[in-house]
């Protein structure tokens, strides 16, 4: 799953590597970043995360099959098998009952059915899947995992699957942040500049696309450098101020965060338009 690459940080000697996910955490709320990366507090798994992880694995394996066999039925089967592999190892005791788990599975299969209305997997031959790249960019060390990379007539497209809803229009630009970082990494790794970025939202369903150019990549690099500097400063000073906002309702640390006086009100006041993406 592309946007969940690990990041390491050492309090005493600075940042080792940064992924788009953790960069986004810091942008959203430095305290959230501290809880995850510095304090390494456990984050309880959720059904949405389990669905995203399992769906990504099934979609990755779909392209192991011959083109003619990339059908909805085979994808559902891959999802069931992936869940059997992941359930006890990654998501033990996630559901209170068999009925809850069954309802979750039914919802996940309905989501996967949407995939075929936005892409025809029989017509796609990816050149990479789960493409894991770590590169030094100047003084930074950046890691990203691309769900899929396609090449058609010399045009390279980096594809990211999303099992959450597509963003409201005003958040669409920021939805591409991780993919822009992947494009930077892809160019550093291969010497080739991707042509476009594609976000495939299974809930919706919807596809968002953005062409890539050098100006965009230069701006993304500047943004990463500013974040890298800010994170290193925060690590040196041990200053990670909380930044309360609409996303607190989904924060796994809501119950311990000193900035939120009423965690119950925050968790029930979630705004749909701000639904965080589960990749
Ligand atoms: S509850 Fe809100 S302010 Fe506190 S760590 Fe989470 S996102 Fe930050």
């Amino acid at each position: 799953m592309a946007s969940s690459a690990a990041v390491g940080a050492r309090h005493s000697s600075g940042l080792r590597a940064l992924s788009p996910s953790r960069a986004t955490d810091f942008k959203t709320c430095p305290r959230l970043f501290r809880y995850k990366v510095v304090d390494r507090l456990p984050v309880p798994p959720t059904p949405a995360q389990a669905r995203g992880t399992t769906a990504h694995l099934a979609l990755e394996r779909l392209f192991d099959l011959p083109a003619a066999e990339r059908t909805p039925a085979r994808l559902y089967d891959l999802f069931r098998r992936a869940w059997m592999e992941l359930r006890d190892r990654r998501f033990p005791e996630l559901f209170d009952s068999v009925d809850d788990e069954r309802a979750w599975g039914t919802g996940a299969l309905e989501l996967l059915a949407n995939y075929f209305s936005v892409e025809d997997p029989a017509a796609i031959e990816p050149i990479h899947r789960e493409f894991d790249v770590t590169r030094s960019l100047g003084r930074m060390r950046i890691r990203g995992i691309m769900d899929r990379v396609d090449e058609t007539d010399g045009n390279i497209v980096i594809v990211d699957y999303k099992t959450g809803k597509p963003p409201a229009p005003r958040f669409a630009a920021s939805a591409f942040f991780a993919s822009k970082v992947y494009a930077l990494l892809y160019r550093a790794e291969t010497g080739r500049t991707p042509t476009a970025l594609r976000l495939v939202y299974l809930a919706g369903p919807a596809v968002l696309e953005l062409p890539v150019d050098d100006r965009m990549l230069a701006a993304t690099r500047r943004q990463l450098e500013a974040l890298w500097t800010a994170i290193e400063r925060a690590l040196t000073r041990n200053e990670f101020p909380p930044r309360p906002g609409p996303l607190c309702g989904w924060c796994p640390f809501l119950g311990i965060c000193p900035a939120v006086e009423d965690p119950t009100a925050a968790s029930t006041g979630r705004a749909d338009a701000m639904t965080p993406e589960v990749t």
Side-chain angles (χ1 to χ4, degrees), residues 25 28-33 35 241-260 266:
D25 285 342
T28 303
C29 172
R31 181 62 61 96
L32 169 65
F33 178 92
Y35 287 147
R243 188 178 295 150
L247 294 179
C248 290
W250 284 273
C251 179
F253 310 111
L254 183 61
I256 62 168
C257 179
V260 180

Side-chain angles (χ1 to χ4, degrees), residues 157-192:
V157 178
I158 296 178
V159 181
D160 206 14
Y161 302 123
K162 306 285 188 185
T163 49
K165 294 179 194 170
R170 67 185 187 280
F171 299 120
S174 59
F176 280 101
F177 172 69
S179 295
K180 290 176 185 175
V181 175
Y182 301 151
L184 262 181
L185 287 171
Y186 191 86
R187 185 175 67 177
E189 179 78 5
T190 68
R192 302 179 70 189

